[in-house]
Amino acid sequence: MSGLFNLRRYGASIARHHLLTGGPTRRRPPPHANVFGRALHTTSVLDRVVSFHLSDIGEGIREVTVKEWYVKVGDVVEQFDNLCEVQSDKASVTITSRYDGKIIKLYHDVDGIALVGKPLLDFDVDEEGDDSGSSSSSSSDSSSDEEETKKAPMPQVEAAGGQMPAGKVLATPAVRRIAMENKVDLSKVPATGRNGRVLKGDVLEFLEVIPKGTVKPHPSLVAKEQRKPETSSPGDPKQSETVVPLKGVAKAMIRSMTEALKIPHFAYCDEVDVTRLVEVRSQLKEEAARQGVKLTYMPFFLKAASNALLQHPILNSTFDEPAETVIYKHYHNISVAMQTPQGLVVPNVKNVEQKSILQIAQDLNALQERGAKGALTPNDFANGTFALSNIGIIGGTYTHPVVMTPQVAIGGLGKTRVLPRFDDAGQVVPAHIMVVSWTADHRVIDGVTMASFSNLWKQYLENPNLLMLGAK
């Protein structure tokens, strides 16, 4: 009978885990169990070891670099706790827990390569869920907490997993139920769980059901160890050398630039007189600022490129080398190179062909803000079709940008300089001159196509009123 009781008690939990993970549950019997005897036994505890696999993060990414671990073996974690940060060749992604339990194995070291669909770590899953006591965030809590909890006049509700609705405090459903029945505002309850999670014990302390200080705060995250340079003997040349392993964006650049070496690049340069554009932007800048938008020249460059791509759609395509086919894109997701604290990244502005210059400026501002905070997501890099890089903000005039596979073209924008030029009457006048440097995949794009596109793009910028015709 006791064996049947255990089956009823744990069967639903095991089935639930099987459905969530899509795989079998590995069970670890206790030492005294007879593994050669009957399948049903009378033990009151059934531990479960669950492998946490790296999920697909999109964009065809098959491997990532483990940038930082937020947990270590032996840590007790809860649902939605941060486990680690991984870096793909697109962006950094924080991986969070789907389970409550104890970490028993990490499969990768920092800077190690993790494969999508393969295990990241193993959990010893907490069978009792949230009702195992308020010590789910710390292994150092005393047993008196559990005893006092049992005496509390609040119903115990089996939690199916924590969640954090928008604008609310992080807590599991069971904790919210206790707070609701006792009319407690969770935002006023001091939280001791990781990342500000309110635990059951926190609510009980707030209600003075258990003594203050019964629930111990979750251990703070272990600080990253500072790597120290290797010591060497006096006179050793290595004393003046520092070895720094490449990781993150820099490591991703190795792969992307190695792929770019396979492309036969075709280059084309031209001058653009942006004197009228300087005047138009100066007139619109203050109005855009009143609407909370910083208006630079880049939105004009993007819109001009989009209008020109409508006439030369092959430049807004990708090349499938194995199939030897060109895939035309009917949306203009134009990538923009920008410098961030993590390095040079190239997110894109979505659907430029459908947006006005002000809307493009808003999207650019948002990308730059997320980039400065290191908060760009894989979606910000997804499905780029064309690219522009403004090297002129650093000070360069001419450049030779590298095509980003599988795209087929990119433009490099030089610094705008005031230079003497002849007007229509033959008089020397000051003019704002910018040099644009185009490169393209010569397997797909020929010189005539690139030059024709450049001439049309130049026409829009030298006569910016043309951008207002049919503006969206």
Side-chain angles (χ1 to χ4, degrees), residues 1-191:
M1 291 298 293
S2 60
L4 180 60
F5 172 77
N6 284 326
L7 181 61
R8 287 178 178 174
R9 183 180 182 185
Y10 299 111
S13 176
I14 295 172
R16 172 167 54 84
H17 167 71
H18 182 89
L19 291 174
L20 285 172
T21 61
T25 301
R26 290 188 282 145
R27 297 180 296 172
R28 186 174 68 247
H32 60 273
N34 180 10
V35 295
F36 300 103
R38 300 174 61 185
L40 297 178
H41 53 81
T42 59
T43 180
S44 61
V45 179
L46 183 64
D47 294 334
R48 295 187 302 146
V49 177
V50 178
S51 291
F52 184 97
H53 292 75
L54 177 63
S55 301
D56 185 5
I57 57 179
E59 276 298 284
I61 295 170
R62 291 292 171 262
E63 66 178 33
V64 297
T65 301
V66 178
K67 195 173 180 181
E68 180 178 3
W69 281 108
Y70 299 129
V71 297
K72 63 181 182 300
V73 173
D75 281 356
V76 176
V77 299
E78 299 174 335
Q79 294 185 55
F80 309 111
D81 282 356
N82 291 339
L83 298 177
C84 65
E85 182 178 356
V86 299
Q87 173 78 53
S88 70
D89 57 354
K90 302 293 185 181
S92 294
V93 178
T94 299
I95 305 298
T96 57
S97 176
R98 296 196 297 269
Y99 311 109
D100 294 344
K102 182 178 181 180
I103 307 296
I104 61 175
K105 181 178 181 180
L106 302 181
Y107 282 85
H108 305 283
D109 296 326
V110 173
D111 294 332
I113 301 298
L115 302 178
V116 170
K118 298 298 183 181
L120 269 178
L121 46 83
D122 283 349
F123 283 94
D124 189 348
V125 176
D126 182 2
E127 279 285 359
E128 297 299 325
D130 183 72
D131 285 337
S132 60
S134 61
S135 61
S136 58
S137 70
S138 175
S139 60
S140 62
D141 289 355
S142 63
S143 60
S144 63
D145 183 13
E146 297 179 4
E147 295 174 1
E148 293 293 340
T149 302
K150 293 178 182 178
K151 297 178 184 177
M154 275 76 71
Q156 302 296 310
V157 181
E158 183 71 20
Q163 58 183 356
M164 182 175 59
K168 294 188 178 181
V169 178
L170 182 63
T172 59
V175 175
R176 296 186 186 282
R177 175 71 176 274
I178 295 172
M180 179 183 66
E181 292 182 350
N182 290 273
K183 299 180 180 179
V184 173
D185 183 353
L186 285 177
S187 64
K188 298 180 180 179
V189 177

